[in-house]
Amino acid sequence: MESKISRGIIKKAMEMWLDNLEVDVAIVGAGPSGLTCARYLAKEGLKVVVLERHLFFGGGTWGGGMGFPYITVEEEAKHLLEEVGVKLEKVDDLYVADSVEVPAKLATAAIDSGAKILTGIVVEDLILKNEEVRGVVINTYAIEKAGLHVDPLAIESKVVVDATGHDAYVTNILVKKNKVNLKVEGERSMWAERGEKELLKYTKEIYPNFFVCGMAANAVHGGYRMGAIFGGMYLSGKLCAEKILKKLK
Ligand code: 48F
């Protein structure tokens, strides 16, 4: 019995890794923007892998606002939650949703569309050839956390998306390690309406085959933070998917 448990897991894991070494799109970060982007791309038949540092998906959604387990979304974005079956209640001119239900349903929808979410995996670098991004360099979170000097593996992809949130982690690596003509401005203090609006302007390909979406896009371009309103994250993830589809099709 014991060896059969191990055999099942090892067999499936090896098959899964071999099947995901070359993908259309590698999305870094399984927060609200990354999960929405993944769902829209996978729905169109693209091979999509989402790489998430933590063992859980959902990024900054779970804790709602200051630990109160609800988030808000604007009218323009509420359909993106309704599409995945999230229940919403109108309070003033915003809609309120359960901050545990939202990531659970966004992730389920992304998986059901065909995206592969890999948790416990850190993107520590990019594959960069001839001034083009060609994939991600990965390691496990356990190895990162233990501070072990262990060489990484890599996944080749046609496109990489930085959906790592406030840190814009992958863009920072691209900028710091390579002489690229890019600057990470860092996000500004809170201005919810403006942060939400500008996010869409900043969601784009900022380097060949390299896109930013969600809070990472605001951080790269010096946009405002917005707190526990999430419509911009879902709209940014969808817009990013549309731009990638246009590029790849
Ligand atoms: O931070 P996060 O939720 O990003 P987002 O999609 O949404 C932002 C909102 O949650 C919130 C907000 C709304 O007003 O401001 O903050 O832009 O999710 C980012 C995910 O990326 C993972 C991280 O663990 C989180 O789940 N991540 C960050 N760096 C890496 C990473 C990395 N190097 N490799 C893998 N995953």
Side-chain angles (χ1 to χ4, degrees):
M1 179 59 133
E2 286 76 6
S3 65
K4 283 185 191 154
I5 297 170
S6 304
R7 189 168 12 255
I9 290 168
I10 291 170
K11 180 173 180 294
K12 274 311 288 177
M14 290 307 125
E15 283 171 11
M16 182 279 292
W17 277 115
L18 290 172
D19 187 43
N20 281 286
L21 292 179
E22 287 166 20
V23 298
D24 291 316
V25 185
I27 298 174
V28 192
S33 65
L35 289 174
T36 305
C37 185
R39 172 162 66 95
Y40 276 97
L41 290 170
K43 235 169 47 166
E44 295 301 316
L46 263 61
K47 192 167 179 58
V48 179
V49 67
V50 183
L51 304 144
E52 167 55 51
R53 169 181 272 127
H54 294 293
L55 288 181
F56 52 88
F57 50 78
T61 311
W62 299 104
M66 206 185 77
F68 296 166
Y70 293 93
I71 58 150
T72 58
V73 62
E74 313 85 321
E75 177 80 42
E76 309 88 277
K78 81 181 209 312
H79 66 284
L80 294 171
L81 290 183
E82 285 170 341
E83 276 171 17
V84 300
V86 171
K87 295 177 285 301
L88 297 161
E89 191 182 317
K90 195 163 187 198
V91 179
D92 298 326
D93 55 352
L94 292 177
Y95 292 81
V96 181
D98 181 307
S99 66
V100 173
E101 181 184 357
V102 169
K105 289 188 171 167
L106 284 180
T108 302
I111 294 165
D112 288 347
S113 300
K116 181 70 190 167
I117 302 175
L118 289 172
T119 56
I121 300 294
V122 178
V123 170
E124 60 164 63
D125 205 345
L126 292 162
I127 305 174
L128 198 68
K129 297 185 188 179
N130 299 325
E131 320 293 312
E132 283 184 3
V133 170
R134 301 278 189 86
V136 289
V137 176
I138 57 169
N139 223 321
T140 69
Y141 181 40
I143 287 172
E144 180 193 67
K145 206 165 168 58
L148 301 175
H149 185 177
V150 177
D151 266 326
L153 295 177
I155 294 174
E156 290 185 38
S157 64
K158 293 177 188 155
V159 163
V160 172
V161 178
D162 184 349
T164 61
H166 298 261
D167 295 339
Y169 188 95
V170 192
T171 310
N172 268 305
I173 285 174
L174 176 66
V175 170
K176 279 182 194 148
K177 293 187 87 161
N178 306 282
K179 288 195 174 68
V180 299
N181 192 18
L182 270 179
K183 191 167 173 248
V184 179
E185 301 283 347
E187 73 182 30
R188 302 182 69 177
S189 294
M190 190 180 283
W191 185 350
E193 302 93 313
R194 200 158 153 192
E196 288 283 89
K197 281 223 168 64
E198 287 180 346
L199 183 49
L200 296 185
K201 185 171 81 192
Y202 299 148
T203 299
K204 56 185 172 184
E205 186 174 20
I206 57 169
Y207 193 75
N209 307 332
F210 186 78
F211 288 71
V212 280
C213 74
M215 210 51 214
N218 262 9
V220 168
H221 295 96
Y224 290 87
R225 73 180 300 196
M226 63 291 281
I229 183 156
F230 280 71
M233 300 302 139
Y234 313 130
L235 290 169
S236 170
K238 184 180 181 198
L239 179 65
C240 190
E242 286 165 355
K243 291 190 172 184
I244 292 168
L245 285 166
K246 201 163 163 205
K247 180 184 171 81
L248 294 185
K249 284 205 167 163

